[in-house]
């Protein structure tokens, strides 16, 4: 991140300068959308289990889990916090793990589904061609294929791992059937899963409006979803570095000037990541101290 910032310091400085032009009502609306993402996450977590979880503690845990996400890569921090919370609430570890897997699956399906719907509705919104080096798709697809082959080979050769995964899948499928047998839980699971990325994208759109970004809101939402799906496999804690770079690239591909796109991404990440970080860490410490997690 430091190397990239130094190499592109002129663009970064111009982007920071644009922050002074932000319209505060839109930024406040973006902060409200960010707060609602914790509500959506809590609803989805409840939808992933049949047992009733304590509502207030569940909501506060989602806020605290955000700070834990910055300690471990690829969302492991939030997953660990929620796994601990469910076990403290009395759910066996196997069922808690199955509920966590169901949550991650539903959120991924909803995010990719929203991205696919927007790509169908606006097929020419992102122009990635000029931004990618020539011949980049071949090596990228080769790496993805090699990773898939490696995963299959490991499962085929390691019998204990194969048995453990099979046992977990049986538990997870049983939990999924139980959840979907109750319409209220299924509605919470899939409704919250759709609301979560929608609110995140809305936050970026509102920041774009605050900074006068001349890109249609639907295209900004599409850029956000494309960027977050693309960096899902990059194991950086909290997506720090990878998300910022991907969002700038996606917004530029949607037609935004580089400096304004940089300002939008900086403001968005300040609202969604850096401002809640310290309160979230303090809340996490309090929850541990009070044995909520």
């Amino acid at each position: 991140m430091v190397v990239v910032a130094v190499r592109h310091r002129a663009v970064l400085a111009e982007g920071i300068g644009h922050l002074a032009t932000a319209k505060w009502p839109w930024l406040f609306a973006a902060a409200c959308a960010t707060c609602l993402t914790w509500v959506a996450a809590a609803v989805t977590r409840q939808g992933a289990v049949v047992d009733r979880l304590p509502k207030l503690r569940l909501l506060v845990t989602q806020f605290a889990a955000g700070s834990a996400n910055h300690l471990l890569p690829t969302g492991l921090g939030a997953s660990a916090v929620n796994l601990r919370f469910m076990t403290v609430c009395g759910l066996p570890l196997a069922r808690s793990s199955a509920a966590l897997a169901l949550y991650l699956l539903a959120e991924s399906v909803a995010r990719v589904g929203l991205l696919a719907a927007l790509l169908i509705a606006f097929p020419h919104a992102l122009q990635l061609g000029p931004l990618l080096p020539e011949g980049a798709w071949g090596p990228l697809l080769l790496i993805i294929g090699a990773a898939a082959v490696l995963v299959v080979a490991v499962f085929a050769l390691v019998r204990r791992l194969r048995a453990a995964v099979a046992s977990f899948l049986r538990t997870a499928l049983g939990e999924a059937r139980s959840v979907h047998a109750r319409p209220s839980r299924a509605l919470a699971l899939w409704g919250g899963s759709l609301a979560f990325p929608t609110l995140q994208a809305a936050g970026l759109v509102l920041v774009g409006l605050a900074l006068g970004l001349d890109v249609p809101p639907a295209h900004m939402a599409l850029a956000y979803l494309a960027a977050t799906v693309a960096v899902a496999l990059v194991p950086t804690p909290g997506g720090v570095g990878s998300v910022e770079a991907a969002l700038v690239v996606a917004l530029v591909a949607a037609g935004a000037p580089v400096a304004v796109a940089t300002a939008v991404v900086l403001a968005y990440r300040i609202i969604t990541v850096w401002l809640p970080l310290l309160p979230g860490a303090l809340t996490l410490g309090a929850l541990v101290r009070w044995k909520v997690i």
Side-chain angles (χ1 to χ4, degrees), residues 3 93 103 135 156 223 272 282:
V3 170
L93 182 59
Y103 169 87
T272 58
L282 295 175

Side-chain angles (χ1 to χ4, degrees), residues 40 44 102-103 106-107 110-111 114 188-198:
T44 312
L102 183 58
Y103 169 87
E107 201 276 332
R111 187 178 297 270
L114 284 173
L189 175 65
W190 293 104
S193 296
L194 285 169
F196 186 71
T198 300

Side-chain angles (χ1 to χ4, degrees), residues 76-97:
L76 291 177
S79 297
V81 169
N82 279 284
L83 188 64
R84 177 63 181 167
F85 172 73
M86 287 186 284
T87 54
V88 169
C89 288
L91 272 71
L93 182 59
R95 289 187 57 209
S96 300
S97 302

Side-chain angles (χ1 to χ4, degrees), residues 18-157:
H18 276 288
L19 294 178
T21 66
K23 299 175 183 176
W24 290 100
W26 290 114
L27 293 182
F28 177 74
C32 291
T34 299
C35 293
L36 288 175
T37 60
W38 301 320
V39 177
V43 170
T44 312
R45 300 278 183 190
Q46 177 61 84
V49 293
V50 175
D51 309 69
R52 183 177 292 277
L53 301 173
K55 295 179 181 178
L56 181 58
R57 280 186 283 170
L58 177 60
L59 178 59
V60 174
T61 299
Q62 304 318 302
F63 175 61
S67 63
N69 238 14
H70 290 76
L71 301 176
L72 296 171
T74 61
L76 291 177
S79 297
V81 169
N82 279 284
L83 188 64
R84 177 63 181 167
F85 172 73
M86 287 186 284
T87 54
V88 169
C89 288
L91 272 71
L93 182 59
R95 289 187 57 209
S96 300
S97 302
L100 180 62
L102 183 58
Y103 169 87
L104 294 173
L105 176 63
E107 201 276 332
S108 300
V109 169
R111 187 178 297 270
V112 174
L114 284 173
L115 174 60
L118 286 175
L119 283 172
I120 292 171
F122 307 98
H124 304 296
L126 299 181
Q127 302 296 327
L128 290 173
L131 298 174
L132 293 176
E134 189 175 349
W137 286 110
L140 181 60
L141 293 175
L142 183 62
I143 291 171
I144 294 173
V149 170
L150 179 62
V151 170
V152 172
V154 168
F155 279 107
L157 296 174

